Amino acid sequence: MRNATVTRNTKETQITVSINLDGTGKASLQSGVPFLDHMLDQIARHGLIDIEIKATGDTHIDDHHTVEDVGITLGQAVTKALGDKTGIVRYGHAYVPLDEALSRVVIDLSGRPGLTMKVDFTRSRIAEFDVDLFYEFFQGFVNHALSTLHIDNIRGANAHHQAETIFKAFGRALRMACEADARAAGMLPSTKGAL
């Protein structure tokens, strides 16, 4: 089984993330940021990745450091769980609707971090959550999962629906990319011989 646990301690946050890439979608989430926990639950459920996150941070200032550092630590855990990436599909994509909202997420576990995110949220906050922090979460993730990630919200009128379609699609795309490729067992999915 492809499991990993990563702990990240800074002066701003203390975070432990445990994942099982071959899980059933179970989640135990205590980030201290309720809407982030709701979104992380979408990754677990739709990615069929078991995720446990315990985080404390300087949320008395704002949620920025915690949200970004959870993304960083989750990315580190995915990298650790994947090992040398032999035999994985490598690429993943998903379109997910929720009522009027539709998002597309495409990921390449390429070894090269890059984020392109095209989302025009219809409001700046969802409950107490600042939507700018979604970018920080995904930037932290790609920098440490060493992945290229394209996120497009194609349409949406409700910011909660926009966010939820993004995280559900991300979970599905990540699941696809991490899955074992039955036709390429023991092979690294790159002509370079390295990822």
Side-chain angles (χ1 to χ4, degrees):
M1 297 206 344
R2 298 173 300 161
N3 301 314
T5 297
V6 174
T7 297
R8 175 183 169 85
N9 289 314
T10 72
K11 292 180 179 179
E12 298 166 339
T13 61
Q14 299 77 47
I15 300 170
T16 298
V17 173
S18 296
I19 63 169
N20 174 4
L21 294 177
D22 302 308
T24 59
K26 293 183 292 187
S28 174
L29 305 165
Q30 300 171 37
S31 73
V33 182
F35 195 75
L36 177 63
D37 286 347
H38 180 46
M39 295 298 101
L40 293 167
D41 195 29
Q42 305 309 315
I43 297 172
R45 183 69 50 87
H46 297 281
L48 292 180
I49 300 168
D50 294 344
I51 302 175
E52 182 178 349
I53 296 177
K54 293 181 182 175
T56 57
D58 55 2
T59 54
H60 61 284
I61 297 173
D62 73 7
D63 295 338
H64 185 286
H65 298 140
T66 299
V67 174
E68 179 181 24
D69 288 5
V70 166
I72 288 169
T73 312
L74 181 61
Q76 291 172 330
V78 168
T79 295
K80 186 175 178 181
L82 284 173
D84 68 2
K85 301 179 187 173
T86 297
I88 66 166
V89 171
R90 175 179 165 178
Y91 302 98
H93 59 87
Y95 284 82
V96 171
L98 174 56
D99 298 341
E100 88 299 340
L102 175 65
S103 293
R104 173 184 59 220
V105 174
V106 182
I107 191 168
D108 176 9
L109 298 173
S110 61
R112 296 182 307 280
L115 174 62
T116 301
M117 187 169 171
K118 303 292 185 189
V119 181
D120 294 319
F121 283 104
T122 57
R123 62 183 192 265
S124 63
R125 300 190 86 76
I126 303 170
E128 300 302 313
F129 191 89
D130 178 354
V131 299
D132 287 346
L133 298 182
F134 290 128
Y135 184 89
E136 303 305 325
F137 171 85
F138 286 114
Q139 187 68 68
F141 177 86
V142 301
N143 285 347
H144 294 271
L146 304 175
S147 59
T148 300
L149 182 63
H150 289 259
I151 299 171
D152 295 284
N153 176 239
I154 297 167
R155 65 182 60 91
N158 179 306
H160 188 135
H161 292 174
Q162 290 175 290
E164 197 161 323
T165 59
I166 289 164
F167 276 81
K168 287 176 177 176
F170 175 71
R172 296 286 300 189
L174 183 61
R175 172 183 167 186
M176 180 187 292
C178 291
E179 284 182 345
D181 188 337
R183 295 182 60 199
M187 295 172 54
L188 194 67
S190 173
T191 56
K192 295 178 183 175
L195 284 175

